[in-house]
Amino acid sequence: MTASLPTADNPREIGSHRVYFVSPPVLVTIYHGDVSPEEITQLIDTARLAGVSIVATVADLGALGSFGADARKAMLDARPSDLLEGTDADVGVFVVNADVVRRAVMTLVTTAIRLLSKRRVRVRYVETIAEAEAQAQAYAEAIAAGERP
């Protein structure tokens, strides 16, 4: 199943956003512009391609536009709780290019995740996509080894 996953060299384009996997439990989303309800649904469907629980995610918010109430409702309606099952490890969220407003958006998104799952969400703000990918991969490997990073 994982052979056809989008990669950094061949990402899935969802509207003006790009989504790919560093490895099956590590999802990267680069936002460009507003996020529509349909795009949220497609993003969640892409995350399901891995066939495993998402352990860590990277979000580049530098060019994020609006993530309005309709998009947040679509996220809840898509019932992505299956992406958060299968492990009790905290979800690592590594955020790049987040100003104060974008950090507030992340608070809304992580609150929604907390409502959908018993797993805690640990947000880390980092400087670059490369740094975020490396930290997310190390986090996923630590979880796979039974550690609590």
Side-chain angles (χ1 to χ4, degrees):
M1 177 182 289
T2 59
S4 62
L5 292 178
T7 64
D9 294 333
N10 189 25
R12 179 169 182 199
E13 304 285 338
I14 299 175
S16 58
H17 319 290
R18 292 183 307 156
V19 182
Y20 61 89
F21 292 89
V22 174
S23 64
V26 180
L27 179 71
V28 177
T29 306
I30 301 172
Y31 293 97
H32 289 280
D34 297 345
V35 180
S36 72
E38 295 79 18
E39 291 167 341
I40 280 295
T41 301
Q42 290 176 39
L43 188 142
I44 291 168
D45 289 346
T46 300
R48 287 185 172 123
L49 291 174
V52 298
S53 294
I54 298 298
V55 172
T57 186
V58 173
D60 183 343
L61 306 182
L64 176 67
S66 171
F67 195 98
D70 289 345
R72 292 190 304 273
K73 182 180 182 312
M75 183 172 58
L76 292 173
D77 290 347
R79 307 255 186 251
S81 59
D82 60 307
L83 297 172
L84 303 172
E85 296 172 356
T87 180
D88 62 351
D90 296 347
V91 178
V93 179
F94 299 82
V95 182
V96 181
N97 296 317
D99 60 16
V100 173
V101 172
R102 290 178 174 101
R103 287 179 187 223
V105 169
M106 282 308 300
T107 299
L108 293 171
V109 171
T110 57
T111 299
I113 292 171
R114 287 182 184 119
L115 294 173
L116 295 170
S117 172
K118 294 178 181 175
R119 292 171 66 190
R120 289 180 356 136
V121 178
R122 298 174 61 187
V123 179
R124 295 180 190 164
Y125 295 96
V126 296
E127 297 294 318
T128 67
I129 285 281
E131 180 185 1
E133 288 178 0
Q135 287 188 25
Q137 185 62 38
Y139 183 88
E141 290 169 1
I143 294 297
E147 299 171 18
R148 295 278 180 191

